[in-house]
Amino acid sequence: MTPHTAAPLHKPLLLLISLLQGLGLLVLHESVEYSFWPGTSFGPLFGLIAFTLIAPTMLLLTLTRENGGLSAKWIASFSLLCAGLAYYVGVQATPPDKVESGALIFTLVVTMGLASFKALMYIQQRAGRQHITYGALFTLSWQNFLVLALGGLFTLVIFGLLKLWGGLFNIIGIDYFSDLFKQKWFLYPALSLGLGFGIILLRSQLAIISTIANIWHVLTKFLLVLLVFISLLFLLFLPFEGLSALWQTGKGSLLLLWLMALILFFINSVYQNEETNRAYPIWLHRFIYIGIACLPIYSVISFYGLSARVGQYGLTLERCWAWLIWGMLTLFAAGYCVGIIRKRDNWVAQLSKVNIGMGLVVLMVTLLVNSPLLDFRKISVNSQLARLDSGLVTIEEFDFHYFRNHLARPGYLALIDLKARYAESKPEVAQRIEELMVNRWSRASVISGDRFATRVEVYPQGYVLPAELLDHIYSYHKDDWQFKNSQSELLIAIDLNGDNSDEFVVIFNQKFSRYAFMHIKTDSGWQVQNLQAHNVDNKIDLLEAIKANPPQAIEPKWKTLQIGELKFQVQ
């Protein structure tokens, strides 16, 4: 890998850009904290945050004394596009007290980061008036990645030194510095300047960056051989074991996609610009392209697994992303296989064309997933509602929690429609939706004690509970997050300590976990103990499991060893 030619940097301008970025982020943070525009409106807030993060960072990595105007034009255009898409995503996070936005923000950050990273390489070549080649794109990608990563590490070190500075002076009774370094008005500009200064230093030392990348290139040559060997060995054994074992894990398609992605990544790391000079001896070179030629087999197998899942359960966010990743990996693999078929040992010559074209495809897709044209949340809502309307799933089985917690505004709007649709025919469904649609941290204000008493399932059926028990359980747990996120509750009366009197275990069933608490009546009142769960399978219906195997109290295999007040218990 040869370093990208270092043009003279306009260092004062780059530091000014860093300072302005820090001040911009400070204003946006304060607008949220003190509730003034744009902090009061998620659409403009998301858009401005995206522009403030993307445009200055891309300028820091691109701008030189020779390409200022052209760089600014390309970067401003791309950043405005990203801001518009972020605006749309921000609207999908409203209303904020009804919509879970954590996954939404995470997806936006990852996709915008990837899109910016891909776009930056093309912009740098266009701003330098260079012909776009894959070798140059690869070199730029590694330079940008290492400069950003090491610049971020440099900024963290600065932050650590500031904390050390404040701590040392605290020891001698001077707390001015520790108080100063906690202030947002100081930290945002200071750390932004630190990042800008680190990027300037690293861009001035591209030869060192190239050396690091060359070391990685040497390591990946070995890792690629190992990955291809693993993939071919797996294919060799797969016919004997069959696909059923692969699907039983529930992660078969995911593992295959990971394998394909890693092989393609290491191929591009090794054959970065090797059209005439092969990276391996001829026999090992052929071994590599045999492994590449087998990638379509993995694509077909994962297609079957994804299709089966969608047929059973419909489209969800996760499956939409799986299909998208499958499509990208399949296109890469197909392009490489065409090169192998056409050029045999010289298939590497095809890499440049495939990677340049597919790089633009990846860039386009990572932008589209944040637009209304490819909104996976809307696609998932439509798929699940279609399953409900066709009778593939009943309203009792319908996963309202998934709509509430994962599908943002489209899921929220769909819940409103479902609530209105079933308000008269199934009022209990409308009640469930009402409970979900409030802010989850105030859910107890909607679920009253009376409502809790009617929805909790009691075992054994017909068991006469102590008069005050349900009121006690509700009062004790109503502010706990286990209760606020519970989809259903089960109350079991059982003698767990062998004293011929029952204890009461309440189990809160959440989508991905279960939490249990034991309530014991004593002379001084009710006591509560947390119960640790083992061998939890969230797919098991507890009520059905109870019908098949009634709950029982099991003596521990190992008793507790006690020496005075000290106890030893086998875990």
Side-chain angles (χ1 to χ4, degrees):
M1 178 186 294
T2 57
H4 186 57
T5 304
L9 304 179
H10 199 312
K11 296 178 182 177
L13 178 59
L14 293 177
L15 287 175
L16 177 60
I17 290 171
S18 298
L19 177 61
L20 291 176
Q21 183 183 42
L23 293 174
L25 292 173
L26 172 63
V27 171
L28 292 172
H29 182 113
E30 296 290 88
S31 74
V32 174
E33 185 165 340
Y34 294 103
S35 300
F36 62 86
W37 193 91
T40 55
S41 181
F42 273 18
L45 178 65
F46 278 38
L48 288 171
I49 289 176
F51 186 87
T52 308
L53 288 173
I54 293 172
T57 305
M58 294 181 80
L59 286 170
L60 287 173
L61 292 164
T62 305
L63 203 62
T64 68
R65 291 185 179 273
E66 300 174 353
N67 67 7
L70 200 54
S71 295
K73 181 183 74 172
W74 281 101
I75 290 172
S77 300
F78 176 78
S79 300
L80 286 172
L81 173 62
C82 291
L85 295 173
Y87 180 97
Y88 172 77
V89 174
V91 172
Q92 303 311 300
T94 58
D97 61 332
K98 311 291 185 183
V99 170
E100 297 292 334
S101 58
L104 195 73
I105 295 172
F106 175 79
T107 302
L108 176 66
V109 170
V110 171
T111 53
M112 283 297 179
L114 181 58
S116 301
F117 186 78
K118 298 294 292 185
L120 181 61
M121 298 181 287
Y122 291 93
I123 290 173
Q124 286 170 325
Q125 288 208 275
R126 296 303 299 169
R129 296 180 174 85
Q130 299 172 356
H131 178 64
I132 294 178
T133 63
Y134 177 65
L137 287 174
F138 188 89
T139 299
L140 285 168
S141 70
W142 272 104
Q143 287 179 1
N144 294 333
F145 172 75
L146 291 172
V147 167
L148 268 179
L150 295 175
L153 180 61
F154 178 76
T155 307
L156 287 176
V157 171
I158 290 178
F159 180 72
L161 291 178
L162 292 177
K163 298 292 286 184
L164 176 63
W165 182 350
L168 288 173
F169 277 82
N170 266 346
I171 293 175
I172 59 176
I174 301 175
D175 56 5
Y176 171 79
F177 294 108
S178 62
D179 291 340
L180 174 65
F181 298 154
K182 293 176 183 177
Q183 302 300 316
K184 292 185 289 294
W185 61 262
F186 174 85
L187 281 178
Y188 272 104
L191 295 181
S192 293
L193 280 172
L195 177 61
F197 186 66
I199 289 176
I200 291 171
L201 289 177
L202 291 162
R203 285 185 65 191
S204 303
Q205 302 293 328
L206 290 183
I208 297 174
I209 299 297
S210 181
T211 300
I212 297 172
N214 285 331
I215 293 172
W216 173 249
H217 179 234
V218 172
L219 296 175
T220 55
K221 289 174 67 174
F222 168 78
L223 295 174
L224 176 59
V225 174
L226 179 60
L227 266 173
V228 171
F229 175 77
I230 293 171
S231 68
L232 292 176
L233 189 64
F234 180 78
L235 283 180
L236 183 64
F237 279 89
L238 189 58
F240 299 100
E241 298 297 329
L243 294 177
S244 58
L246 188 63
W247 307 137
Q248 285 175 359
T249 64
K251 301 177 181 178
S253 296
L254 176 64
L255 293 174
L256 294 182
L257 292 176
W258 262 112
L259 181 61
M260 290 180 65
L262 287 173
I263 290 175
L264 292 171
F265 172 76
F266 284 116
I267 286 169
N268 285 283
S269 295
V270 172
Y271 293 101
Q272 53 193 257
N273 194 16
E274 303 274 0
E275 293 189 16
T276 57
N277 183 22
R278 296 193 183 104
Y280 300 101
I282 186 62
W283 64 271
L284 201 50
H285 178 72
R286 290 173 178 171
F287 174 75
I288 295 296
Y289 78 63
I290 289 172
I292 297 171
C294 290
L295 287 179
I297 299 176
Y298 283 108
S299 182
V300 170
I301 295 173
S302 54
F303 174 86
Y304 172 78
L306 290 173
S307 300
R309 286 288 180 182
V310 172
Q312 289 176 315
Y313 306 108
L315 285 170
T316 61
L317 276 178
E318 296 78 7
R319 294 184 190 108
C320 286
W321 278 107
W323 274 121
L324 178 65
I325 294 169
W326 175 88
M328 294 295 99
L329 296 178
T330 300
L331 287 175
F332 270 108
Y336 295 167
C337 287
V338 169
I340 292 171
I341 294 171
R342 292 176 56 190
K343 299 181 179 294
R344 301 293 195 277
D345 290 341
N346 295 321
W347 64 272
V348 179
Q350 186 79 6
L351 281 181
S352 180
K353 294 180 180 179
V354 173
N355 289 330
I356 291 175
M358 284 302 301
L360 293 173
V361 171
V362 171
L363 170 59
M364 180 181 66
V365 168
T366 50
L367 293 173
L368 283 177
V369 293
N370 294 299
S371 76
L373 299 177
L374 195 62
D375 191 333
F376 288 158
R377 294 169 293 274
K378 291 183 178 178
I379 294 172
S380 300
V381 165
N382 293 334
S383 175
Q384 296 301 319
L385 290 179
R387 285 171 51 81
L388 177 64
D389 294 337
S390 64
L392 292 175
V393 62
T394 66
I395 191 63
E396 289 75 19
E397 299 169 332
F398 195 77
D399 195 346
F400 300 106
H401 286 78
Y402 188 77
F403 273 51
R404 167 66 172 83
N405 296 323
H406 297 274
L407 299 183
R409 184 173 179 81
Y412 165 73
L413 295 177
L415 288 176
I416 292 178
D417 290 340
L418 288 172
K419 178 185 172 185
R421 184 194 304 184
Y422 291 99
E424 295 183 3
S425 61
K426 291 184 179 293
E428 68 279 5
V429 170
Q431 176 66 30
R432 285 177 60 191
I433 296 174
E434 177 65 24
E435 293 170 2
L436 282 172
M437 286 173 57
V438 297
N439 183 344
R440 64 174 179 168
W441 301 118
S442 62
R443 179 171 176 261
S445 64
V446 174
I447 300 182
S448 63
D450 292 339
R451 169 64 179 155
F452 169 72
T454 59
R455 62 179 266 165
V456 65
E457 296 282 351
V458 179
Y459 182 88
Q461 292 183 352
Y463 189 94
V464 180
L465 299 173
E468 74 279 15
L469 176 60
L470 290 178
D471 289 339
H472 158 72
I473 292 176
Y474 176 78
S475 299
Y476 185 88
H477 292 288
K478 67 178 181 179
D479 295 322
D480 295 345
W481 63 272
Q482 293 95 337
F483 175 79
K484 292 176 179 179
N485 291 296
S486 176
Q487 298 184 11
S488 62
E489 296 82 30
L490 176 64
L491 181 60
I492 300 174
I494 188 171
D495 180 11
L496 291 179
N497 60 359
D499 64 351
N500 296 319
S501 64
D502 289 331
E503 286 74 47
F504 301 95
V505 177
V506 59
I507 302 176
F508 299 111
N509 297 305
Q510 298 183 8
K511 183 173 179 61
F512 297 110
S513 54
R514 292 191 172 105
Y515 299 91
F517 299 87
M518 179 172 64
H519 293 255
I520 309 168
K521 182 64 177 293
T522 65
D523 294 338
S524 58
W526 289 97
Q527 294 183 356
V528 183
Q529 296 286 338
N530 182 31
L531 300 183
Q532 184 176 359
H534 298 277
N535 303 324
V536 176
D537 184 350
N538 295 311
K539 297 179 181 179
I540 294 177
D541 186 308
L542 287 185
L543 288 177
E544 294 297 325
I546 285 176
K547 293 177 183 177
N549 298 287
Q552 55 182 313
I554 301 175
E555 290 286 344
K557 181 177 180 180
W558 305 101
K559 296 182 179 180
T560 300
L561 171 63
Q562 180 169 346
I563 305 174
E565 296 298 323
L566 183 62
K567 295 181 179 180
F568 298 91
Q569 187 174 17
V570 177
Q571 298 296 320

